[in-house]
Amino acid sequence: AYLGTWGRPDFCPAAGVRVIDVADPADPQLVGVIASGEEYPDSDTDSLWVGSIDTEAFTGDVAVVAVSLCDNGEISRRQDGFRGLAIYDVTDPAKTRLLSTIHSGELTQGVHSVDATVRSDGQVLVAATVMQSLLHTEGLQGDVRLVDISDPMNPIESADWDFRRDATGDDAAEMVTTTDQEQLHAHTVAFTARGERLWVANWDAGAVLLDVGDPAAPAVANWISQVASAEGDVHSVVSDVGMGIVILSSEDLYPRSDSEHQAGWGYQSILDLTGTPISEFAAGGDPVSEGTIVGLDGYHTAHDAQLVDGRLYSSWYSSGMRIVDVSDPADPVEIGFFVPPPAVDPQGYWLAPDGSSRMAMVWEVHVSGDLIFVSDLNSGLWIVRYLGDETGDNHPY
């Protein structure tokens, strides 16, 4: 298991990516660290991809780590510190080595989200988001980057893309001219269709499906611009072509209503592949009604998700990890959950809207076989196993 680190200005542990032996999942052991603060001072490394590749240049396991600046203000971005992608050989997790780096560009804040795929032709393609790159580079480099790492020692950037610059059509043009440009950034990316297409969670612009069959010329294949009753804030996208669904997770950290925000926490929207809404799911209640949902003692918003065999495994910050059966997309049913014990943020950053300092803060969920890996910003890595099918009583974990 590979556990990243999150940081912000004045709260930047720069602990890198912890490499953890989970051969015995009941007794995980730390075996090493990559992309540490010694390598990249003042850095945030909260997104990464690890997988096996077999190309003419390299055979083994690689880790592609997103390195960004904890302080993304202009003064910090003008300094020389590295930000971008760092690629490691982790074939032997106890003896890792840096293979290469690729800088995201001067004045950028670094890579926020990364995904990778091994395509049918053997090409290893990485997608990354460099948030607000288009604005920070005065239009020269878009937020979405495509990088060929078939030779991980010599990564090659194939293209960059940005909704604000490259989306076509009257509707897109109107959104770009009428919406705050910062709210149209690319947030996360996820490959689909065996690496031929790429979902981009484009915050208030919605979700964009890019055709990346030719990685040098990404083109819009679909755009889901409107979500019923949503403020926007599309943080992540998952889809299943066989099921005919796409699920958008909106991250809304501000549950109270004002001129810029609607009432309620962020939630998940289930749509068909054309973008037509089917249903909604929120951990704890009505997705758009303040007061009927979980409360203000933490952050009860959707964040990331993984869709496996008709089940949606999602991170919901203080509402923990939720498992939802979406085999009938019109009737999503929660079948399990795991909420880590409340803990205080060791960096002293997170305080709940009601002032509480002790809470769960589940950031990411990853399903591997019968195990579910749950990372919590405040308390660390949890490894759980879902027992509902075995016991028949919807055991929470």
Side-chain angles (χ1 to χ4, degrees), residues 361-374:
M361 286 293 288
V362 171
W363 178 268
E364 193 69 64
V365 174
H366 183 77
V367 180
S368 180
D370 66 341
L371 296 176
I372 309 170
F373 294 82
V374 178

PDB file of all heavy atoms in Angstrom, residues 361-374:
ATOM      1  N   MET A 361     -11.795  12.031   8.834  1.00  0.00           N
ATOM      2  CA  MET A 361     -11.590  12.809   7.608  1.00  0.00           C
ATOM      3  C   MET A 361     -11.104  11.870   6.511  1.00  0.00           C
ATOM      4  O   MET A 361      -9.944  11.895   6.094  1.00  0.00           O
ATOM      5  CB  MET A 361     -10.601  13.943   7.849  1.00  0.00           C
ATOM      6  CG  MET A 361     -11.138  15.106   8.653  1.00  0.00           C
ATOM      7  SD  MET A 361     -12.443  16.033   7.802  1.00  0.00           S
ATOM      8  CE  MET A 361     -11.514  16.873   6.543  1.00  0.00           C
ATOM      9  N   VAL A 362     -12.008  11.006   6.020  1.00  0.00           N
ATOM     10  CA  VAL A 362     -11.633   9.990   5.034  1.00  0.00           C
ATOM     11  C   VAL A 362     -11.440  10.651   3.672  1.00  0.00           C
ATOM     12  O   VAL A 362     -12.351  11.250   3.114  1.00  0.00           O
ATOM     13  CB  VAL A 362     -12.681   8.870   4.963  1.00  0.00           C
ATOM     14  CG1 VAL A 362     -12.384   7.935   3.789  1.00  0.00           C
ATOM     15  CG2 VAL A 362     -12.684   8.089   6.270  1.00  0.00           C
ATOM     16  N   TRP A 363     -10.240  10.497   3.147  1.00  0.00           N
ATOM     17  CA  TRP A 363      -9.810  11.154   1.913  1.00  0.00           C
ATOM     18  C   TRP A 363      -9.960  10.243   0.697  1.00  0.00           C
ATOM     19  O   TRP A 363     -10.355  10.674  -0.368  1.00  0.00           O
ATOM     20  CB  TRP A 363      -8.351  11.576   2.088  1.00  0.00           C
ATOM     21  CG  TRP A 363      -7.686  12.228   0.925  1.00  0.00           C
ATOM     22  CD1 TRP A 363      -6.964  11.623  -0.066  1.00  0.00           C
ATOM     23  CD2 TRP A 363      -7.645  13.635   0.632  1.00  0.00           C
ATOM     24  NE1 TRP A 363      -6.483  12.559  -0.939  1.00  0.00           N
ATOM     25  CE2 TRP A 363      -6.875  13.795  -0.537  1.00  0.00           C
ATOM     26  CE3 TRP A 363      -8.171  14.762   1.266  1.00  0.00           C
ATOM     27  CZ2 TRP A 363      -6.626  15.049  -1.099  1.00  0.00           C
ATOM     28  CZ3 TRP A 363      -7.921  16.011   0.696  1.00  0.00           C
ATOM     29  CH2 TRP A 363      -7.159  16.141  -0.465  1.00  0.00           C
ATOM     30  N   GLU A 364      -9.602   8.980   0.858  1.00  0.00           N
ATOM     31  CA  GLU A 364      -9.539   8.094  -0.309  1.00  0.00           C
ATOM     32  C   GLU A 364      -9.945   6.681   0.083  1.00  0.00           C
ATOM     33  O   GLU A 364      -9.763   6.254   1.224  1.00  0.00           O
ATOM     34  CB  GLU A 364      -8.118   8.087  -0.872  1.00  0.00           C
ATOM     35  CG  GLU A 364      -7.989   7.468  -2.251  1.00  0.00           C
ATOM     36  CD  GLU A 364      -8.648   8.314  -3.315  1.00  0.00           C
ATOM     37  OE1 GLU A 364      -8.213   9.454  -3.566  1.00  0.00           O
ATOM     38  OE2 GLU A 364      -9.625   7.820  -3.928  1.00  0.00           O
ATOM     39  N   VAL A 365     -10.493   5.962  -0.890  1.00  0.00           N
ATOM     40  CA  VAL A 365     -10.881   4.561  -0.722  1.00  0.00           C
ATOM     41  C   VAL A 365     -10.350   3.775  -1.907  1.00  0.00           C
ATOM     42  O   VAL A 365     -10.467   4.225  -3.062  1.00  0.00           O
ATOM     43  CB  VAL A 365     -12.420   4.409  -0.648  1.00  0.00           C
ATOM     44  CG1 VAL A 365     -12.811   2.939  -0.630  1.00  0.00           C
ATOM     45  CG2 VAL A 365     -12.970   5.120   0.580  1.00  0.00           C
ATOM     46  N   HIS A 366      -9.760   2.626  -1.641  1.00  0.00           N
ATOM     47  CA  HIS A 366      -9.284   1.776  -2.730  1.00  0.00           C
ATOM     48  C   HIS A 366      -9.622   0.328  -2.417  1.00  0.00           C
ATOM     49  O   HIS A 366      -9.277  -0.196  -1.353  1.00  0.00           O
ATOM     50  CB  HIS A 366      -7.777   1.918  -2.922  1.00  0.00           C
ATOM     51  CG  HIS A 366      -7.261   1.109  -4.077  1.00  0.00           C
ATOM     52  ND1 HIS A 366      -7.423   1.506  -5.387  1.00  0.00           N
ATOM     53  CD2 HIS A 366      -6.616  -0.076  -4.117  1.00  0.00           C
ATOM     54  CE1 HIS A 366      -6.886   0.602  -6.185  1.00  0.00           C
ATOM     55  NE2 HIS A 366      -6.400  -0.367  -5.449  1.00  0.00           N
ATOM     56  N   VAL A 367     -10.306  -0.339  -3.359  1.00  0.00           N
ATOM     57  CA  VAL A 367     -10.720  -1.729  -3.197  1.00  0.00           C
ATOM     58  C   VAL A 367      -9.708  -2.638  -3.888  1.00  0.00           C
ATOM     59  O   VAL A 367      -9.347  -2.411  -5.049  1.00  0.00           O
ATOM     60  CB  VAL A 367     -12.124  -1.964  -3.795  1.00  0.00           C
ATOM     61  CG1 VAL A 367     -12.538  -3.426  -3.627  1.00  0.00           C
ATOM     62  CG2 VAL A 367     -13.129  -1.030  -3.140  1.00  0.00           C
ATOM     63  N   SER A 368      -9.233  -3.645  -3.175  1.00  0.00           N
ATOM     64  CA  SER A 368      -8.293  -4.608  -3.740  1.00  0.00           C
ATOM     65  C   SER A 368      -8.680  -5.993  -3.247  1.00  0.00           C
ATOM     66  O   SER A 368      -8.446  -6.345  -2.087  1.00  0.00           O
ATOM     67  CB  SER A 368      -6.860  -4.273  -3.311  1.00  0.00           C
ATOM     68  OG  SER A 368      -5.943  -5.207  -3.855  1.00  0.00           O
ATOM     69  N   GLY A 369      -9.301  -6.776  -4.134  1.00  0.00           N
ATOM     70  CA  GLY A 369      -9.780  -8.085  -3.721  1.00  0.00           C
ATOM     71  C   GLY A 369     -10.857  -7.942  -2.668  1.00  0.00           C
ATOM     72  O   GLY A 369     -11.827  -7.198  -2.843  1.00  0.00           O
ATOM     73  N   ASP A 370     -10.683  -8.616  -1.525  1.00  0.00           N
ATOM     74  CA  ASP A 370     -11.694  -8.533  -0.474  1.00  0.00           C
ATOM     75  C   ASP A 370     -11.335  -7.489   0.578  1.00  0.00           C
ATOM     76  O   ASP A 370     -11.985  -7.396   1.616  1.00  0.00           O
ATOM     77  CB  ASP A 370     -11.899  -9.899   0.185  1.00  0.00           C
ATOM     78  CG  ASP A 370     -10.675 -10.376   0.938  1.00  0.00           C
ATOM     79  OD1 ASP A 370      -9.559  -9.855   0.675  1.00  0.00           O
ATOM     80  OD2 ASP A 370     -10.809 -11.272   1.792  1.00  0.00           O
ATOM     81  N   LEU A 371     -10.288  -6.704   0.309  1.00  0.00           N
ATOM     82  CA  LEU A 371      -9.872  -5.680   1.257  1.00  0.00           C
ATOM     83  C   LEU A 371     -10.227  -4.287   0.747  1.00  0.00           C
ATOM     84  O   LEU A 371     -10.255  -4.043  -0.465  1.00  0.00           O
ATOM     85  CB  LEU A 371      -8.366  -5.741   1.504  1.00  0.00           C
ATOM     86  CG  LEU A 371      -7.829  -7.015   2.149  1.00  0.00           C
ATOM     87  CD1 LEU A 371      -6.307  -6.955   2.245  1.00  0.00           C
ATOM     88  CD2 LEU A 371      -8.445  -7.241   3.528  1.00  0.00           C
ATOM     89  N   ILE A 372     -10.496  -3.396   1.680  1.00  0.00           N
ATOM     90  CA  ILE A 372     -10.771  -2.000   1.355  1.00  0.00           C
ATOM     91  C   ILE A 372      -9.776  -1.156   2.130  1.00  0.00           C
ATOM     92  O   ILE A 372      -9.711  -1.224   3.367  1.00  0.00           O
ATOM     93  CB  ILE A 372     -12.213  -1.591   1.727  1.00  0.00           C
ATOM     94  CG1 ILE A 372     -13.220  -2.586   1.155  1.00  0.00           C
ATOM     95  CG2 ILE A 372     -12.506  -0.180   1.222  1.00  0.00           C
ATOM     96  CD1 ILE A 372     -14.639  -2.383   1.687  1.00  0.00           C
ATOM     97  N   PHE A 373      -8.981  -0.367   1.402  1.00  0.00           N
ATOM     98  CA  PHE A 373      -7.990   0.505   2.024  1.00  0.00           C
ATOM     99  C   PHE A 373      -8.591   1.902   2.139  1.00  0.00           C
ATOM    100  O   PHE A 373      -9.051   2.472   1.153  1.00  0.00           O
ATOM    101  CB  PHE A 373      -6.708   0.526   1.191  1.00  0.00           C
ATOM    102  CG  PHE A 373      -5.999  -0.798   1.171  1.00  0.00           C
ATOM    103  CD1 PHE A 373      -6.408  -1.812   0.304  1.00  0.00           C
ATOM    104  CD2 PHE A 373      -4.941  -1.044   2.017  1.00  0.00           C
ATOM    105  CE1 PHE A 373      -5.760  -3.047   0.285  1.00  0.00           C
ATOM    106  CE2 PHE A 373      -4.287  -2.270   2.016  1.00  0.00           C
ATOM    107  CZ  PHE A 373      -4.699  -3.262   1.151  1.00  0.00           C
ATOM    108  N   VAL A 374      -8.580   2.432   3.349  1.00  0.00           N
ATOM    109  CA  VAL A 374      -9.235   3.700   3.649  1.00  0.00           C
ATOM    110  C   VAL A 374      -8.196   4.644   4.251  1.00  0.00           C
ATOM    111  O   VAL A 374      -7.611   4.334   5.296  1.00  0.00           O
ATOM    112  CB  VAL A 374     -10.394   3.489   4.648  1.00  0.00           C
ATOM    113  CG1 VAL A 374     -11.056   4.809   4.994  1.00  0.00           C
ATOM    114  CG2 VAL A 374     -11.418   2.500   4.085  1.00  0.00           C
TER     115      VAL A 374
END
